């Protein structure tokens, strides 16, 4: 899997720019605030359907236009694809792959696989549970489109349930609460099963990588909010039913996959609480590399790696290890200093200045 080119028109600070990539290392360099990360963001949109940093799609449109247009040419499993995206100022977005409209996000995510490494990812261990759930969901969704569909349906029903719980506090109990819980239980069973399988695979890979980098012991565990001996629609529904009074009292959902987390241990100590900054960063790096291996094992080819100014955040040992691991993969790297990155004959450099390749 590799990206051949991307064209950005009216996107962020790019009026019209075309970049043609090497199938190996691509270094996108320049001073800060010139538009380097915008290129990775444009690629990420085609893999995840959303920006990794913008709150709304409107933020992606340049100041001078009323829409943005992106075109991405890539190859996957020996087939060539052209993906096109149009983002309107009113918030609407249209996507086509080989001229076929993509109407569901879950379908889009099955085409192009990427793994993003950013400085924020180094806070994966010590950051919020939401960040760790996002790490899990973005990984599994790229392999199983039905997972994303179940997650979106779960969140839709959860909002309806929370609205009902708020009204129950004043209007009294409503029988439809059990209906919402039944729907949540059905989707939660699928999501929890997939999350548990993902964490098991990530743990095995990350343990090996951590040992190679530092010789330390790493362990990643899935920590579901709903604790049952067996994960099924029936057991999850029973769990929620038994705690219905508590949720009515609180006026919001207190249990469910929206409260899941990952527990990460280094040398048998919880890294979030007791790990040094170096241990936390190494564990996070190991989990991101393991994420790429998880996708490769499932899809048969390595995802495209997006490294957003990550090399400057790593010490020499971690930088050398990462450079060796990505040597034969397609990687798009942003940096202010090209000396931090190993290069070979297939490396391609792009100098970015004020939204243009110069």
């Amino acid at each position: 899997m590799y990206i051949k080119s991307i064209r950005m028109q009216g996107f962020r600070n790019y009026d019209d720019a075309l970049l043609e990539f090497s199938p190996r290392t691509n270094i996108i360099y320049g001073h800060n605030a010139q538009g380097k990360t915008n290129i990775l963001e444009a690629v990420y949109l085609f893999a995840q359907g959303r920006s990794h940093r913008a709150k709304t799609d409107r933020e992606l449109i340049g100041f001078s236009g009323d829409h943005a247009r992106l075109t991405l040419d890539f190859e996957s499993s020996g087939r060539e694809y052209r993906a096109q995206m149009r983002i309107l100022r009113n918030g609407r977005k249209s996507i086509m792959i080989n001229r076929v409209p993509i109407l569901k996000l879950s379908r889009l995510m099955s085409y192009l696989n990427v793994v993003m490494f950013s400085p924020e990812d180094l806070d994966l261990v010590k950051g919020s549970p939401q960040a760790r759930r996002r790490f899990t969901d973005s990984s599994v969704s790229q392999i199983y489109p039905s997972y994303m569909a179940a997650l979106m349906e779960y969140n839709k029903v959860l909002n309806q349930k929370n609205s009902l719980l708020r009204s129950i506090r004043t209007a009294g109990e409503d029988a439809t609460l059990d209906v919402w819980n039944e729907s949540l239980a059905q989707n939660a069973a699928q999501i929890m099963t997939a999350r548990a399988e993902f964490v098991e695979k990530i743990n095995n890979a990350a343990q090996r990588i951590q040992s190679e980098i530092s010789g330390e012991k790493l362990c990643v565990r899935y920590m579901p909010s709903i604790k049952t001996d067996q994960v099924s629609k029936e057991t999850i529904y029973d769990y929620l039913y038994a705690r219905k009074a508590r949720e009515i009292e609180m006026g919001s959902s207190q249990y469910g996959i929206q409260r899941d987390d990952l527990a990460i241990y280094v040398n048998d100590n919880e890294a979030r609480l007791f790990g040094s900054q170096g241990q936390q960063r190494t564990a996070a790096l190991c989990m991101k590399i393991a994420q790429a291996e998880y996708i490769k094992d499932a899809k048969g080819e390595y995802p495209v790696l997006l490294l957003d100014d990550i090399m400057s955040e790593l010490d020499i040992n971690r930088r050398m290890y990462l450079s060796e691991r990505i040597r034969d993969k397609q990687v798009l790297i942003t940096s202010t200093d090209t000396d931090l990155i190993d290069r070979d004959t297939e490396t391609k450099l792009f100098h970015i200045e004020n939204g243009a390749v110069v």
Side-chain angles (χ1 to χ4, degrees), residues 37-54:
T37 298
N38 296 344
I39 298 170
L40 303 192
E41 181 179 37
V43 172
Y44 190 88
L45 275 167
F46 283 105
Q48 295 285 322
R50 60 175 179 80
S51 167
H52 67 292
R53 54 180 182 157

Side-chain angles (χ1 to χ4, degrees), residues 179-232:
V179 177
W180 295 135
N181 277 340
E182 185 175 9
S183 180
L184 288 175
Q186 180 175 348
N187 289 295
Q190 178 181 346
I191 294 165
M192 289 174 64
T193 299
R195 284 180 175 178
E197 292 175 353
F198 166 75
V199 173
E200 181 180 2
K201 292 178 180 179
I202 282 290
N203 177 56
N204 293 337
Q207 279 185 341
R208 170 175 46 80
I209 297 165
Q210 177 94 7
S211 179
E212 292 172 355
I213 294 178
S214 66
E216 294 180 303
K217 179 184 176 183
L218 175 67
C219 179
V220 183
R221 295 177 184 168
Y222 176 41
M223 305 294 290
S225 167
I226 295 175
K227 298 174 174 60
T228 61
D229 293 335
Q230 181 181 5
V231 175
S232 69

Side-chain angles (χ1 to χ4, degrees), residues 247-267:
E247 293 191 321
I248 291 174
E249 177 187 357
M250 299 300 295
S252 64
S253 298
Q254 300 297 304
Y255 312 94
I257 59 101
Q258 75 277 9
R259 295 177 179 268
D260 287 356
D261 199 358
L262 304 181
I264 302 159
Y265 298 86
V266 176
N267 296 335

Side-chain angles (χ1 to χ4, degrees), residues 122 210 213-214 216 276-283 285-286 289 310-311 313-325:
L122 296 177
Q210 177 94 7
I213 294 178
S214 66
E216 294 180 303
S276 67
Q277 185 180 50
Q279 288 176 322
Q280 291 172 342
R281 289 193 157 201
T282 300
L285 179 62
C286 292
I289 297 174
I310 196 74
M311 291 301 190
E313 300 289 330
L314 301 175
D315 63 26
I316 183 64
N317 291 332
R318 293 172 181 84
R319 195 160 64 235
M320 289 178 62
Y321 181 85
L322 181 58
S323 295
E324 185 61 32
R325 292 299 297 257

Side-chain angles (χ1 to χ4, degrees), residues 130-178:
Q130 182 181 16
R132 289 183 286 277
R133 287 194 298 271
R134 188 165 53 244
F135 164 77
T136 302
D137 294 338
S138 68
S139 304
V140 181
S141 295
Q142 295 190 63
I143 305 305
Y144 302 109
S146 61
Y147 178 89
M148 173 55 69
L151 189 63
M152 293 175 70
E153 178 64 20
Y154 181 94
N155 289 329
K156 178 182 175 181
V157 174
L158 181 66
N159 288 333
Q160 293 168 322
K161 176 183 173 180
N162 280 328
S163 178
L164 178 62
L165 285 169
R166 287 191 295 270
S167 69
I168 286 176
R169 297 185 71 180
T170 56
E173 187 170 341
D174 190 320
T176 57
L177 181 59
D178 292 337

